[in-house]
């Protein structure tokens, strides 16, 4: 297992150094132990477009909607983790590495208490970071502008949140006051939301009925406040080599000639 970890760390590090514009997020930890918070009746898949430096990156996130909780997570990473676990159980030493860019934060929103639990996936092989906060009170202002997403008639709304100005399209045809990530608070499901700079764009691409558990995984989290985790993530981007040495206890080797000034683009969805 130690040899697997060293090999995984080395391969991920070399990929990161070779592509300095990349932002790697960890794959999920073991999926064998979890607490089931709720059972989702609906799933909404969103295409997420993100701007990282000069690159426009596309990802997919899933919004599970239950009676008491919603969960936003990355279905692609979850499928990959199940595949890795299966290969390792079968005795294989090599499994696919996470070499694609992802929206790095998952959220659990309690519809009863209004509390949000957020899990930020730090660079592999770092720990998942977790914090809690009250659900934001968005100052939505609706407009007469109408549109259509996935054949659903939508109404437009605007608000500002933590350094970004947003425009959302929500549908009264699905009267659920939720949306992807932390977004919500409108009298209908949010089907599209984007910031004014178009650094982050969430667009619904599928809606389906499901009967799926909303799991809070029993992982080795590093817990702190949102403010302190934001500082941690910023340092992770600006000093990735220092970060890698710390989280691996110096187990990694760096290519000759790599400057200590290496950094990754930092364009978080929350600017304050």
């Amino acid at each position: 297992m130690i040899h697997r970890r060293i090999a995984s760390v080395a391969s991920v590090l070399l990929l990161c150094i070779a592509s300095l514009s990349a932002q790697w997020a960890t794959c999920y930890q073991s999926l064998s132990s979890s607490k089931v918070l709720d059972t989702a009746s609906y799933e909404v898949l969103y295409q997420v477009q993100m701007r990282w430096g000069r690159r426009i990156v596309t990802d997919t996130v899933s919004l599970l909607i239950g009676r008491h909780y919603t969960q936003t997570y990355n279905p692609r990473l979850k499928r990959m983790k199940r595949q890795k676990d299966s290969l390792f159980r079968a005795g294989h030493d090599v499994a696919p590495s996470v070499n694609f860019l992802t929206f790095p934060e998952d959220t659990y929103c309690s519809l009863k208490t209004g509390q949000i639990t957020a899990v930020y996936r730090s660079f592999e092989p770092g720990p998942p970071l977790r914090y809690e906060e009250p659900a934001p009170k968005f100052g939505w202002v609706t407009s007469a502008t109408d549109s259509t997403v996935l054949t659903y008639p939508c109404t437009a709304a605007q608000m500002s949140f933590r350094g970004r100005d947003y425009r959302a399209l929500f549908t009264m045809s699905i009267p659920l006051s939720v949306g992807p990530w932390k977004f919500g608070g409108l009298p209908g499901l949010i089907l599209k939301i984007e910031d004014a700079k178009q650094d982050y764009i969430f667009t619904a691409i599928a809606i389906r009925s499901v009967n799926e558990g909303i799991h809070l995984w029993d992982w080795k989290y590093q817990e702190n406040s949102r403010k302190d985790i934001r500082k941690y993530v910023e340092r992770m981007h600006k000093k990735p080599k220092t970060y890698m040495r710390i989280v691996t206890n110096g187990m990694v080797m760096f290519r000759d000639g790599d400057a200590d000034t290496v950094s990754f683009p930092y364009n978080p969805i929350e600017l304050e």
Side-chain angles (χ1 to χ4, degrees):
M1 185 60 69
I2 292 176
H3 293 296
R4 289 177 185 169
R5 176 176 170 80
I6 293 174
S8 175
V9 170
S11 64
V12 171
L13 179 64
L14 291 177
L15 282 169
C16 289
I17 295 299
S19 179
L20 300 183
S21 63
Q23 188 268 357
W24 260 259
T26 64
C27 197
Y28 293 121
Q29 295 186 9
S30 173
L31 301 178
S32 61
S33 180
S34 68
K35 176 183 179 182
V36 180
L37 301 178
D38 199 359
T39 300
S41 299
Y42 301 97
E43 180 184 40
V44 186
L45 289 177
Y46 294 86
Q47 182 186 80
V48 187
Q49 181 177 298
M50 304 168 286
R51 189 186 306 275
W52 290 101
R54 298 178 180 178
R55 298 185 63 180
I56 301 296
V57 178
T58 301
D59 191 22
T60 301
V61 297
S62 169
L63 170 65
L64 293 177
I65 306 171
R67 294 184 61 187
H68 307 293
Y69 282 88
T70 67
Q71 178 191 10
T72 299
Y73 74 99
N74 191 299
R76 186 179 179 187
L77 283 180
K78 189 174 180 179
R79 288 194 299 269
M80 173 173 278
K81 180 56 183 172
R82 292 192 187 280
Q83 181 183 9
K84 280 188 172 184
D85 288 349
S86 177
L87 288 171
F88 283 148
R89 283 195 300 270
H92 297 276
D93 290 331
V94 179
S97 296
V98 179
N99 58 359
F100 50 87
L101 304 176
T102 70
F103 183 73
E105 193 169 56
D106 299 349
T107 51
Y108 300 83
C109 301
S110 172
L111 303 178
K112 182 177 180 180
T113 67
Q115 192 78 357
I116 290 178
T117 299
V119 176
Y120 192 101
R121 299 186 306 279
S122 58
F123 290 174
E124 196 169 26
L129 314 172
R130 185 168 75 174
Y131 65 90
E132 294 188 355
E133 66 173 352
K137 296 185 182 300
F138 301 111
W140 290 109
V141 177
T142 58
S143 69
T145 304
D146 294 327
S147 187
T148 301
V149 179
L150 291 177
T151 73
Y152 292 97
C154 294
T155 302
Q158 293 82 35
M159 60 86 177
S160 297
F161 179 60
R162 292 177 179 166
R164 294 187 184 274
D165 298 324
Y166 289 95
R167 178 179 183 270
L169 295 174
F170 67 97
T171 179
M172 296 287 289
S173 299
I174 306 177
L176 300 173
S177 186
V178 298
W181 189 54
K182 299 177 182 179
F183 299 121
L186 286 165
L189 177 65
I190 295 174
L191 295 182
K192 183 174 182 178
I193 184 166
E194 61 185 358
D195 72 295
K197 294 181 179 180
Q198 295 196 319
D199 285 345
Y200 287 87
I201 305 173
F202 296 78
T203 306
I205 56 176
I207 302 174
R208 64 190 184 104
S209 297
V210 296
N211 182 22
E212 184 171 343
I214 294 178
H215 295 262
L216 180 60
W217 303 103
D218 184 20
W219 293 336
K220 295 180 180 179
Y221 297 102
Q222 180 171 314
E223 301 195 46
N224 215 317
S225 66
R226 185 185 72 89
K227 179 180 179 180
D228 286 340
I229 284 178
R230 286 187 69 249
K231 292 179 181 177
Y232 180 101
V233 172
E234 183 175 5
R235 289 194 298 268
M236 183 176 71
H237 282 78
K238 293 183 177 180
K239 299 287 185 179
K241 292 179 70 174
T242 300
Y243 165 82
M244 284 290 185
R245 288 190 180 103
I246 291 172
V247 300
T248 63
N249 293 319
M251 285 197 303
V252 296
M253 297 293 291
F254 295 89
R255 287 179 175 174
D256 293 337
D258 290 329
D260 287 330
T261 57
V262 166
S263 64
F264 294 150
Y266 183 60
N267 185 25
I269 191 169
E270 294 179 319
L271 297 175
E272 58 185 42

